[in-house]
Amino acid sequence: MLDSLKVGKLLLAVASENELEAVFSGLSLDRGLIPPAWKSVEFGSVTILHTGVGKTNAAGAVSRELTLAEGDKSQYSAVLSLGLAGSYDQNLKLGDLVLGLDHVLLDEGTISDGGWVTLERAGWARTVIRANQGKLSKKLSKYVEHQGNIGTVSTISGTDRKMEIYKKRFEVMLEVMESAAIAEVCDKFRVEYVDLRVVSNYCGARNPTTHDFPKALARLEELVSKL
């Protein structure tokens, strides 16, 4: 599918080893080739980058890769982030595919007696990053069940109380740990950014009915097999 999309050289950013195993399996690649965090492997016009989990790893690894590619005639035309996500919306089904629109830093700001103040409101940095959309985003949108805003956090909402706190801050559909950081980097480098996520769980307290990680990983493998 990637060849038919004709979007140029693609950087595929994946955070965790479990997600990478699904990606490599879907592409019929030897899992022994999975690189360590902040390292990448190249397969023709696609480079697979193991970013590591979290905002710091994601921003650092993608920045490094894009910097190394600067000045190269075949520098990246797009960054595609693939992985699992928790859903704030109970109407989404476990295993659904979501294309990210706005990317929001849900837990970067200050807390005072007056309540929560975002970095943006404080005048320090952006809180909401609109992904640079182009050919890849338009073409991949037809492969997903939903499109929506994605919240990026450092602390996952494993309790209902934490989930409710995050939900009150912004209107977001999913919770992840990397997207907004990569969106910010891609915006600075003027590179298209696309984030595709598979719903693996519902945010908040966990019980057997609120998560299905094997199903989500299988859906991720199925998706990349089309690539």
Side-chain angles (χ1 to χ4, degrees), residues 148-188:
N149 300 333
I150 296 181
T152 301
V153 300
S154 295
T155 303
I156 293 173
S157 58
T159 67
D160 291 340
R161 181 174 179 276
K162 192 70 173 177
M163 175 186 66
E164 291 302 326
I165 290 173
Y166 286 155
K167 285 177 67 175
K168 289 177 182 178
R169 291 179 179 171
F170 290 95
E171 185 178 340
V172 293
M173 183 175 287
L174 300 182
E175 175 184 283
V176 301
M177 300 186 75
E178 298 85 21
S179 290
I182 301 176
E184 182 71 73
V185 170
C186 290
D187 187 61
K188 293 294 190 291

Side-chain angles (χ1 to χ4, degrees), residues 124-135:
W124 296 334
R126 286 198 295 180
T127 300
V128 181
I129 303 98
R130 181 77 178 184
N132 295 328
Q133 296 180 321
K135 292 181 181 178

